[in-house]
Amino acid sequence: MVNKTLVAFVSKGGATKEASEIIADILKEKYKFTVDLVDLKKHSPNLEEYDNIVIGAGVRVGKVYGKALKFLKQDFGDRKVAFFVCSGDAGDPEKYEEACTKYIIGVLANYPHVKTVATEAFGGRMKMLGKTMFDKFDPAKIRTWAENLGSKLT
Ligand SMILES: Cc1cc2nc3c(=O)[nH]c(=O)nc-3n(C[C@H](O)[C@H](O)[C@H](O)COP(=O)(O)O)c2cc1C
């Protein structure tokens, strides 16, 4: 059976987009899923087509990006759903737990109809005027998460 998976993301600085690409590649290469990678700033995907939905969003000024929150309002039916964020704080070991509480647990509490099979908060990066202010993006952590995620979606 073809396992059709949507990886839907909202990114402003690019970290969540890059994380979504890594996740989509692993689901395709390791698990042979059919994966659509969709930028929610540009498209509104039709959930009917998918068995699994992976949602990724960045965080700014204490908030997960609004377009991802709007997407979470939908009825996912019995599809398997995973949710991740990219945040500056999540990449800081001292602030990681707080970031998970705020941006994962706190956010999903507002959408009790969304039952997730996996969640994670990854570090992000911040550039200003072409200068990197910080880079806490950790591709190895994202790869490991995606490798475990695939087995939860099969
Ligand atoms: C204006 C601005 C505000 C930010 N505010 C926060 C914040 O409140 N908490 C946090 O953890 N990270 C914060 N960050 C860091 C972002 O989470 C980080 O840039 C992340 O990579 C954003 O995802 P994106 O690159 O996909 O847009 C902020 C970054 C910017 C540029």
Side-chain angles (χ1 to χ4, degrees), residues 6 45-51 53 55 69-81 111-115:
L6 171 68
N46 177 6
L47 299 186
E48 294 290 308
E49 293 178 35
Y50 301 100
D51 302 303
I53 319 280
I55 305 153
L69 301 180
K70 193 174 165 210
F71 190 75
L72 281 169
K73 286 185 185 169
Q74 293 179 91
D75 180 5
F76 296 100
D78 55 8
R79 289 170 186 82
K80 290 182 179 159
V81 178
Y111 307 91
H113 67 288
V114 180
K115 309 282 181 228

Side-chain angles (χ1 to χ4, degrees), residues 1 3 47 63 83 91 96 136 143:
M1 193 192 88
N3 206 323
L47 299 186
K63 293 209 176 336
F83 178 64
Y96 169 76
K136 298 174 186 169
R143 271 187 227 109

Side-chain angles (χ1 to χ4, degrees), residues 5-133:
T5 301
L6 171 68
V7 179
F9 66 90
V10 188
S11 183
K12 292 181 184 174
T16 312
K17 179 173 189 277
E18 207 175 314
S20 301
E21 287 166 353
I22 292 171
I23 293 163
D25 283 349
I26 286 175
L27 296 179
K28 280 191 269 192
E29 284 161 22
K30 183 169 176 183
Y31 292 93
K32 310 296 173 207
F33 290 178
T34 299
V35 180
D36 286 343
L37 184 64
V38 173
D39 181 344
L40 293 178
K41 288 201 289 185
K42 296 182 185 160
H43 305 284
S44 300
N46 177 6
L47 299 186
E48 294 290 308
E49 293 178 35
Y50 301 100
D51 302 303
N52 310 307
I53 319 280
V54 181
I55 305 153
V59 168
R60 281 190 181 177
V61 208
K63 293 209 176 336
V64 171
Y65 297 155
K67 280 205 163 67
L69 301 180
K70 193 174 165 210
F71 190 75
L72 281 169
K73 286 185 185 169
Q74 293 179 91
D75 180 5
F76 296 100
D78 55 8
R79 289 170 186 82
K80 290 182 179 159
V81 178
F83 178 64
F84 72 92
V85 296
C86 285
S87 119
D89 289 350
D92 178 342
E94 288 183 4
K95 293 185 183 163
Y96 169 76
E97 289 297 338
E98 193 186 324
C100 289
T101 303
K102 196 167 171 187
Y103 303 128
I104 302 279
I105 299 168
V107 164
L108 290 176
N110 296 319
Y111 307 91
H113 67 288
V114 180
K115 309 282 181 228
T116 51
V117 296
T119 60
E120 189 52 280
F122 301 115
R125 63 165 77 90
M126 186 164 158
K127 283 185 188 167
M128 265 184 179
L129 304 169
K131 197 176 160 222
T132 301
M133 310 304 286

